[in-house]
Amino acid sequence: MSAVAGTAAAVQELDEDQRAALDTCVVAALALSSSEGEAQGQMRLLMECHGRYVRSFGVVEQAPSYEVFTRRLRGSRVADLLPGRPQGSVLGKLWLLDDDGMPSLALHRLAVEASEHGHQAPGIGADIRHLHSLLRAVGMLPVSSGLSRISGETVQHAVFRALRGAGFEAYTRGREAMVRTPVLTRRALSRNTALVELGAYTGISPTRQFGGLWAACPMCRWTMRATYRPNGVVDVECEDERHSLLGSRYWAEPAAVEGWRLAPCGELRTVPELLPVEGYVALPYALWLWVTLPGLLEVELRDRLVALGAEVRLWPFGDAYDLHVTRPGRSRAWRVDVKTWADPYGLAQKLREDPEGPGELCFVVPEHLRGYLPLLRRVVRGSGARVLTDADLVAEVEGA
């Protein structure tokens, strides 16, 4: 499991003062790295952050001055910014801003998973406020409640419950659309009643556009983040750590004749089309993180198995699991629960909380997590469940 993917669990291990300090660091880093808003407003927000930061240190440990605080946000590991400097945490492997003040891939994730005040921050704050409006609209967040951290499980439950209200067919179609098309034209969105009523899509964030344009990651098709460099070049990169490492990284620069020109700076040579912001809507960051990304392997597996002649139902029986797979003329069936993370302790907790147990459920993880199989199989030993990679499952269904 990558350090970025482990942020939610790491935050839960912090004490109250450390979580408060992390909150202020995240919002301050977002303010420092954003070109949005006027200088006076940015300074006011930074001063508020520093005040909360100082209070989080209490009287036992001396908090850094404002100048030191803002300087340390650049290039310092997250754990080193917190009171007590927690040891052994994945936060010791992450930073918020690089030495040039550019945001890390962890920054937006921490804003939604670890920040009580992320809604105040430039850029991602609009996404967080939109998410809270959506949760209030579907009855999952009281109108009078304040803005605070919300878990991925809460968001998934709210969104999926709202979609199920339109019937199973509309639910499946709407959820699959959020996986396959996290960015839509406004006209295409208007044709999906369930998604229109849900209100999940919104305008493309300023942090993911440049010159009135945006570009989709070739792997997840969501808007890539655009970060302006001092020399006028724009870094364009998928917010997903693995997609970025696999090559969803580009740079864009103004071209005299063509407007903007996009070029790859990773191994992936596919260059996405630059599209106008006008006329498009996108899922906010949290829905891409908690709905689109986990669903990619589920939908891809369905397509691969159907191509083999299998019959596959997505999210059957009220979303009891992810895939129900059968082969025509054969009695065997596979009940598949796809896990795109490799946290054996989280999986063990899931099994303990299920009063009926997993039965003959197949837990499927991506092929690149094959090294976790021995550990995960020890966790489910004796439960009747199995753990496979997606490649194992496809081979098993094909050979049945």
Side-chain angles (χ1 to χ4, degrees), residues 3 22 33 55 62 69 110 117 135 173 186 194 200 215 228-229 238 261 330 340 367-368 376 391:
L22 178 58
S33 61
R55 289 194 293 274
Q62 180 68 41
F69 168 61
L110 284 166
H117 298 84
L135 293 178
R173 187 172 65 252
R186 293 185 183 274
Y228 283 85
R229 291 282 181 178
C238 183
R261 185 171 66 91
R330 296 156 173 89
T340 53
E367 180 64 27
H368 70 270
L376 291 171

Side-chain angles (χ1 to χ4, degrees), residues 186-398:
R186 293 185 183 274
R187 179 174 297 180
L189 176 64
S190 69
R191 294 194 291 267
N192 192 316
T193 304
L195 290 181
V196 171
E197 292 179 351
L198 179 63
Y201 288 76
T202 186
I204 293 176
S205 168
T207 62
R208 293 189 290 278
Q209 57 176 278
F210 56 97
L213 302 170
W214 67 278
C217 168
M219 297 181 188
C220 64
R221 296 177 290 278
W222 194 57
T223 54
M224 289 188 286
R225 182 174 63 185
T227 306
Y228 283 85
R229 291 282 181 178
N231 61 1
V233 171
V234 179
D235 290 340
V236 183
E237 180 178 21
C238 183
E239 296 260 16
D240 181 73
E241 181 183 30
R242 184 164 181 269
H243 293 176
S244 175
L245 290 173
L246 288 173
S248 287
R249 293 178 287 115
Y250 305 86
W251 54 265
E253 63 178 359
V257 178
E258 305 168 330
W260 285 86
R261 185 171 66 91
L262 199 64
C265 55
E267 294 182 5
L268 187 65
R269 310 316 292 176
T270 302
V271 178
E273 182 182 4
L274 292 176
L275 296 168
V277 170
E278 187 67 30
Y280 284 87
V281 288
L283 293 178
Y285 177 88
L287 292 184
W288 163 81
L289 178 65
W290 292 325
V291 176
T292 302
L293 285 183
L296 289 173
L297 184 55
E298 297 164 2
V299 172
E300 178 195 342
L301 255 181
R302 190 275 309 273
D303 293 346
R304 289 160 66 188
L305 294 171
V306 167
L308 295 176
E311 294 180 352
V312 184
R313 284 194 296 171
L314 274 173
W315 311 303
F317 310 115
D319 199 19
Y321 45 95
D322 296 322
L323 303 171
H324 188 84
V325 184
T326 57
R327 292 293 302 268
R330 296 156 173 89
S331 59
R332 187 175 182 183
W334 291 261
R335 297 164 58 241
V336 179
D337 201 1
V338 178
K339 299 298 180 190
T340 53
W341 40 266
D343 176 8
Y345 308 103
L347 179 54
Q349 184 64 31
K350 175 181 172 64
L351 297 179
R352 284 195 294 268
E353 292 174 351
D354 187 346
E356 298 179 1
E360 296 180 357
L361 203 62
C362 294
F363 290 105
V364 171
V365 299
E367 180 64 27
H368 70 270
L369 298 180
R370 177 175 289 278
Y372 284 86
L373 288 183
L375 183 58
L376 291 171
R377 284 169 175 164
R378 286 199 297 272
V379 171
V380 302
R381 184 179 298 157
S383 68
R386 297 187 299 144
V387 186
L388 311 170
T389 69
D390 58 316
D392 293 338
L393 178 68
V394 170
E396 189 171 288
V397 173
E398 184 177 21

Side-chain angles (χ1 to χ4, degrees), residues 142-224:
V143 174
S144 59
S145 66
L147 300 174
S148 59
R149 290 187 296 267
I150 293 180
S151 71
E153 291 78 8
T154 299
V155 171
Q156 289 175 344
H157 177 69
V159 169
F160 298 160
R161 188 185 70 170
L163 286 174
R164 278 195 292 269
F168 183 73
E169 183 178 345
Y171 164 75
T172 305
R173 187 172 65 252
R175 182 171 172 181
E176 185 171 353
M178 294 174 74
V179 174
R180 288 190 181 278
T181 53
V183 185
L184 287 168
T185 64
R186 293 185 183 274
R187 179 174 297 180
L189 176 64
S190 69
R191 294 194 291 267
N192 192 316
T193 304
L195 290 181
V196 171
E197 292 179 351
L198 179 63
Y201 288 76
T202 186
I204 293 176
S205 168
T207 62
R208 293 189 290 278
Q209 57 176 278
F210 56 97
L213 302 170
W214 67 278
C217 168
M219 297 181 188
C220 64
R221 296 177 290 278
W222 194 57
T223 54
M224 289 188 286

